[in-house]
Every structure is written in structure tokens, then in C-alpha cells.
Amino acid sequence: MYGPLVITYLFLGGAAAGALFVASTWSLAARRSERLQNPLFAAAFDTMRKHVYAAGFIMLAFAMACLLWDLGSPQRALLVFLRPHPTVLTFGAFTLSVEAGVTAVLASSSLLGKPRLPKGLFTTLEALCCLGALATMGYTGVFLFESGMPAWSTWTLVALFVFSSLSAGISTVLLIDWVAQGRARLLKAAKPLQKAHLACLAGEGAFFTLFMLHVFDDPSAAAAKSLIMQQDMTATIALGIVGFGMAVPAALEAYSLTRAECRTIPAADAACLLGCFILRAVVVACGIR
């Protein structure tokens, strides 16, 4: 339990939920914008959206597979649905399943045009996708918080994972758009998204600091504190989490915002995703000590 498969689940589940939240929220907001009247922008936006929905579904499915495989008895997963109990695990299972189902419909409708959904139904599904993604981001933190491990027994862990998932989600959306289209056609429209990314990075940094303070202040988390003080772990936190996960993306995004035609993709977003993965690996390592 709490091995590489769980770390992968926490990363992929959070990044996928963050990307789906960003894409669906952006799509809902764009419907009220005059930008969609521009055929070039509308085509670029549709390309971005359908690729994010498809990638988000694949990432969610793989994350769920990692979690089930780590449980050791995947066949027992059906009991969560057949004999549900009011537990955190049940909430997480239903949340992930609903989010994956909604995303599958949105992805198939966007990529294949089948089934052809009425505009009102598509909008409703995107709103559900927003809510499901937000719940999924929170659950990746609750999944550890409710375990009772000393290092994880702080609400700041849930907030940390939400902000980290949003940060990873924004990077995933921008990176997918860069890979799918070869250039940032949504540059001007992405400016508010970059500003939101800076806010998410600030929130992530603040709650990571609070999480570290909890580890150092809680006597029952002495083993985690000892681990953090080791030279290798200190370097991993400084370079991997603070450096790649926060400082590098923040600096590159801030620089990009000052330029009229400069995008720092893929450097900023690739670094951010790497840092988000390292964050989860470090948090898990602290908890199991």
C-alpha cells in the first residue's frame, strides 16, 4: 500500500481532474465570449477541448487501474458499488466513476461527433464535469488524510493537493494544446489562464509550507521530519518541488505574461508536471515513515 502505483494514481488522478476542470470551465465561459465568433479561434479552441477530454479520460482510467491494482484484490471493487457504505472510499469510487463516465461521453462526442449531443445537454455535462473534477481533486488529498498517518493528519494536505492538481491541470491543458496544434493559437485567450496558474502556484507554495510546518511541529510525525532532514530528501524537495514544481513555472509564466508573442510552452508546463509528481512522491514517503 502507498507504493509507486498509489503515487501514480495521485498524480494522474489529480492532473486529469485539474485539466478537465480547466477545459470544461473554459469551455463554459467561452460560450459567452465573442471570441468563438472568430472561425480560427473557434477551430483552435475545439481542437484543444477535444484533445483534453480524450487525454483526461485516458489519464483517469489509468489512475483508477493503478489504484485498483494496488489494492491487491481488484475484484472486490465491485462491492463498493453493489454494497455501498457511507465511507470516504465509497465517495471516491463513485466520484471517479461518474467523472470518468461524463468525460467519456464528452470525449466521444467531441472527437467522433457521436453521439451528437444537443447543445444544452453538452453544456450540462460540462457543468457536471466541473463539479466532478473538483471533487476528484479534493479526494486525492482526502485519500491520504483519512488514513490516519501522523504526517497526513492535517487539512492542509487536501488544500495542497487541490492547488497542485489545478496547477498540473493548467499545465496539462497548455501542453496538450502545444503538442496537438504545434503552436499556441490560443495565446491571447490563454493569458488569463496563465495568471490563474500563477495564483495556483502561490496557493500550492503556501499550503506546502503549512504542510511542512505541520510535519515539523507534530511530535508523532518525528519519523517524517527525520526523513525530510536527510540530505537527499532535502535536495529533492528544494530542486524537485520548489524548483521544478513552483519556481521555474512561476518565473516562465510571469515572463510570458510580459511578452506579446512569447509562450514558454513546453518548458514551464513540463517542469510543473514533473514537480507535481515529485510532490506526491515526497508526501507519500513522509506519510509511510
Side-chain angles (χ1 to χ4, degrees):
M1 192 63 176
Y2 304 119
L5 288 175
V6 166
I7 295 172
T8 303
Y9 153 71
L10 292 172
F11 171 69
L12 288 179
L20 292 170
F21 179 83
V22 170
S24 53
T25 302
W26 195 1
S27 180
L28 291 170
R31 286 190 173 85
R32 301 180 180 181
S33 172
E34 296 181 357
R35 288 185 182 274
L36 285 184
Q37 304 301 319
N38 184 321
L40 291 178
F41 176 84
F45 187 84
D46 185 63
T47 298
M48 177 279 299
R49 180 175 56 187
K50 68 183 182 183
H51 281 90
V52 172
Y53 284 153
F57 172 72
I58 294 172
M59 291 166 68
L60 273 181
F62 194 74
M64 293 169 67
C66 287
L67 182 60
L68 291 176
W69 192 268
D70 188 76
L71 292 176
S73 301
Q75 65 275 12
R76 295 183 180 179
L78 288 176
L79 296 178
V80 176
F81 300 97
L82 298 176
R83 301 175 184 176
H85 297 283
T87 64
V88 172
L89 180 62
T90 302
F91 171 79
F94 275 93
T95 297
L96 285 168
S97 299
V98 170
E99 180 68 3
V102 170
T103 304
V105 175
L106 290 172
S108 62
S109 178
S110 298
L111 284 172
L112 306 176
K114 296 178 181 180
R116 294 186 178 278
L117 301 177
K119 184 178 294 185
L121 178 57
F122 195 86
T123 300
T124 300
L125 288 175
E126 286 193 318
L128 289 175
C129 185
C130 274
L131 295 175
L134 190 60
T136 300
M137 286 187 285
Y139 178 69
T140 57
V142 174
F143 177 77
L144 299 182
F145 174 76
E146 62 89 29
S147 69
M149 300 291 189
W152 298 338
S153 59
T154 169
W155 65 271
T156 59
L157 182 62
V158 179
L160 170 62
F161 272 32
V162 169
F163 276 101
S164 179
S165 296
L166 283 172
S167 178
I170 292 174
S171 286
T172 299
V173 169
L174 294 175
L175 197 57
I176 286 175
D177 181 62
W178 182 83
V179 172
Q181 305 197 60
R183 58 192 180 93
R185 298 180 184 179
L186 300 178
L187 173 61
K188 292 182 179 179
K191 291 289 186 180
L193 202 58
Q194 291 177 276
K195 294 178 182 179
H197 197 187
L198 289 175
C200 290
L201 289 169
E204 183 181 5
F207 283 107
F208 180 68
T209 301
L210 291 175
F211 170 74
M212 295 294 285
L213 290 174
H214 161 75
V215 172
F216 276 80
D217 290 341
D218 189 349
S220 62
K225 176 182 176 181
S226 177
L227 175 65
I228 292 172
M229 295 300 292
Q230 293 179 12
Q231 185 175 359
D232 290 346
M233 182 58 76
T234 301
T236 298
I237 293 173
L239 296 176
I241 299 177
V242 179
F244 284 112
M246 301 178 195
V248 171
L252 292 177
E253 292 287 29
Y255 173 75
S256 179
L257 286 170
T258 66
R259 311 293 294 181
E261 299 180 355
C262 177
R263 271 297 294 141
T264 53
I265 296 173
D269 303 302
C272 180
L273 291 174
L274 175 61
C276 288
F277 180 83
I278 294 174
L279 169 67
R280 283 151 181 79
V282 168
V283 168
V284 169
C286 288
I288 61 179
R289 285 298 292 257

